[in-house]
């Protein structure tokens, strides 16, 4: 959805922008796989932060459509793919059909970030929130600017979808947190919703879990290796992922420009969540600082030099990621 898609974006709205995945993996060189792995790491780093979506990074890095296309190819029709040749050849056909090499390498990159960066990012969120939120604020602002340039032929419908995306993201970010003890069916439902948010640019899956009151329960389950909760959450995430991505794949293939406007609106609306200057209900700074305030009302001062510098750094990095994504994006056929 970055520059390489501009040519595709000029097609009629009904023209498919997401193509079948057949033989995609055969075109991936070792260099392509390393590139995919690094982009997966960038997605994972974003997903760790409650309020920043890995889908946003996938979108700006030029792999979003391929990701949606690959996941959306997983379904009952895989049995028909297998039956064409059966045996090992049938399994290889399934592997190619779902672009499994791409998905595997991307997941490995995401997992690497979770394993290596989660502690560092959590430390920054707890001890230097102003700095990390300033960085991500600049990143998101630059992302919105880049994607707005990719929307061609603005009309009332696309403008309406963009505004709807903003309102929806702001509304979700402003909802009160649920604090009840979650049951297993509720955890299943939460996982399904969170994974949809995780793949949707602008809405953070980890923030949805926090919003639904299961974030701490899930972290505790992972730490204590509580298998019933872990498997229930995974089942919900897999269910939501397969259902949601098929719908999103259909929208991208038929209403590319309108869908892009909606997704860009989601990302723009997430700026409310990543606003750097936050305080708690008493106007002080602690782990519950979730209320946005004007920079000049921040308890320790706006710190313009540092905050603006980090915003610019975030904007520069996401612009560089966009340019790199343009050059390294695999062209689907």
């Amino acid at each position: 959805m970055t520059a390489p898609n501009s040519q595709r974006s000029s097609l009629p709205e009904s023209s498919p922008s997401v193509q079948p995945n057949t033989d995609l993996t055969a075109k991936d060189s070792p260099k392509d796989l390393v590139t995919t792995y690094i982009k997966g790491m960038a997605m994972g780093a974003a997903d760790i932060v409650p309020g920043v979506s890995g889908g946003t990074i996938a979108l700006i890095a030029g792999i979003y459509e391929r990701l949606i296309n690959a996941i959306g190819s997983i379904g009952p029709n895989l049995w028909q793919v297998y039956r064409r040749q059966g045996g090992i050849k049938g399994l290889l056909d399934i592997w190619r059909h779902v672009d499994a090499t791409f998905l595997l390498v991307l997941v490995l990159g995401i997992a690497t970030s979770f394993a290596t960066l989660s502690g560092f990012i959590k430390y920054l969120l707890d001890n230097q929130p102003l700095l990390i939120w300033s960085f991500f604020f600049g990143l998101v602002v630059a992302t919105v600017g880049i994607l707005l340039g990719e929307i061609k032929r603005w009309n009332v419908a696309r403008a309406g979808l963009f505004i709807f995306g903003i309102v929806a993201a702001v509304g979700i970010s402003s909802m009160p947190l649920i604090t009840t003890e979650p049951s297993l069916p509720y955890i299943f439902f939460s996982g399904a919703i969170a994974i949809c948010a995780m793949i949707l640019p602008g809405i953070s899956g980890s923030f949805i879990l926090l919003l639904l009151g299961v974030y701490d329960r899930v972290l505790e389950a992972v730490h204590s290796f509580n298998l019933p909760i872990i498997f229930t959450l995974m089942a919900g995430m897999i269910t939501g992922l397969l259902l949601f991505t098929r719908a999103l794949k259909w929208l991208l293939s038929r209403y590319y420009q309108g869908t892009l406007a909606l997704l860009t609106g989601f990302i723009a609306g997430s700026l409310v969540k990543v606003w750097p200057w936050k305080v708690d209900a008493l106007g002080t700074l602690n782990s519950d600082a979730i209320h946005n305030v004007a920079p000049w009302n921040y308890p320790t001062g706006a710190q313009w030099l540092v905050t603006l510098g980090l915003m610019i750094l975030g904007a520069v990095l996401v612009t560089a990621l966009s340019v790199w994504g343009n050059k390294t994006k695999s062209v689907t056929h």
Side-chain angles (χ1 to χ4, degrees):
M1 290 188 182
T2 46
N5 296 327
S6 58
Q7 184 179 19
R8 187 179 296 171
S9 303
S10 63
L11 297 174
E13 187 73 5
S14 59
S15 298
S17 63
V18 179
Q19 305 295 338
N21 281 359
T22 307
D23 293 333
L24 269 176
T25 53
K27 302 181 187 304
D28 283 322
S29 67
K31 182 179 179 181
D32 293 331
L33 296 179
V34 171
T35 296
T36 299
Y37 178 79
I38 295 173
K39 291 178 180 180
M41 288 190 65
M43 288 179 62
D47 274 325
I48 295 171
V49 182
V52 183
S53 169
T56 300
I57 301 300
L59 186 60
I60 205 68
I63 59 173
Y64 189 74
E65 287 182 75
R66 184 173 180 183
L67 175 61
I68 296 301
N69 193 32
I71 299 174
S73 298
I74 301 173
N77 65 319
L78 292 181
W79 174 244
Q80 297 178 352
V81 174
Y82 174 78
R83 288 183 58 188
R84 291 172 189 167
Q85 299 193 64
I88 299 299
K89 290 185 177 180
L91 293 175
L92 290 175
D93 284 344
I94 290 177
W95 186 271
R96 286 190 290 267
H97 182 80
V98 302
D99 203 1
T101 300
F102 166 77
L103 288 177
L104 178 61
V105 172
L106 192 69
V107 168
L108 286 175
I110 294 172
T112 300
S113 275
F114 272 85
T116 60
L117 298 178
S118 57
F120 176 66
I121 291 179
K122 187 177 186 304
Y123 172 82
L124 290 178
L125 286 171
D126 291 340
N127 297 280
Q128 298 291 342
L130 182 62
L131 303 187
I132 194 167
W133 287 124
S134 296
F135 173 79
F136 279 110
F137 188 84
L139 183 150
V140 173
V141 168
T143 298
V144 172
I146 292 170
L147 294 180
L148 283 176
E150 294 299 320
I151 301 174
K152 314 300 179 185
R153 302 189 307 276
W154 279 94
N155 54 34
V156 174
R158 291 171 190 170
L161 286 169
F162 175 70
I163 294 172
F164 176 81
I166 293 176
V167 172
V170 171
I172 291 172
S173 299
S174 304
M175 291 174 63
L177 304 181
I178 298 175
T179 58
T180 57
E181 181 65 21
S183 63
L184 287 181
Y186 185 78
I187 290 175
F188 178 91
F189 169 79
S190 299
I193 298 299
I195 196 64
C196 294
M198 193 171 291
I199 203 70
L200 191 66
I203 301 179
S204 164
S206 55
F207 176 67
I208 294 298
L209 290 177
L210 190 66
L211 203 64
L212 294 175
V214 300
Y215 186 76
D216 291 337
R217 190 74 180 92
V218 168
L219 289 183
E220 179 186 337
V222 173
H223 180 71
S224 61
F225 209 58
N226 188 324
L227 293 181
I229 291 180
I230 293 173
F231 286 145
T232 300
L233 182 72
M234 290 178 61
M237 294 176 76
I238 292 172
T239 301
L241 185 65
L242 294 180
L243 293 176
F244 178 74
T245 50
R246 292 180 74 85
L248 190 53
K249 177 182 176 182
W250 183 86
L251 288 172
L252 284 169
S253 66
R254 288 165 176 78
Y255 305 103
Y256 177 83
Q257 288 286 300
T259 304
L260 179 58
L262 178 64
L263 296 179
T264 305
F266 279 134
I267 298 173
S270 72
L271 287 169
V272 172
K273 178 60 183 174
V274 296
W275 179 254
W277 296 278
K278 300 175 185 293
V279 297
D280 63 11
L282 299 177
T284 59
L285 303 176
N286 61 22
S287 59
D288 297 322
I290 58 173
H291 302 287
N292 295 339
V293 296
W296 45 87
N297 291 330
Y298 195 67
T300 60
Q303 302 182 40
W304 289 115
L305 184 61
V306 175
T307 53
L308 291 179
L310 287 169
M311 288 179 189
I312 293 172
L313 176 61
V316 169
L317 288 180
V318 82
T319 302
L321 181 62
S322 175
V323 173
W324 184 49
N326 296 345
K327 295 180 179 179
T328 58
K329 181 178 179 182
S330 299
V331 179
T332 59
H333 296 287

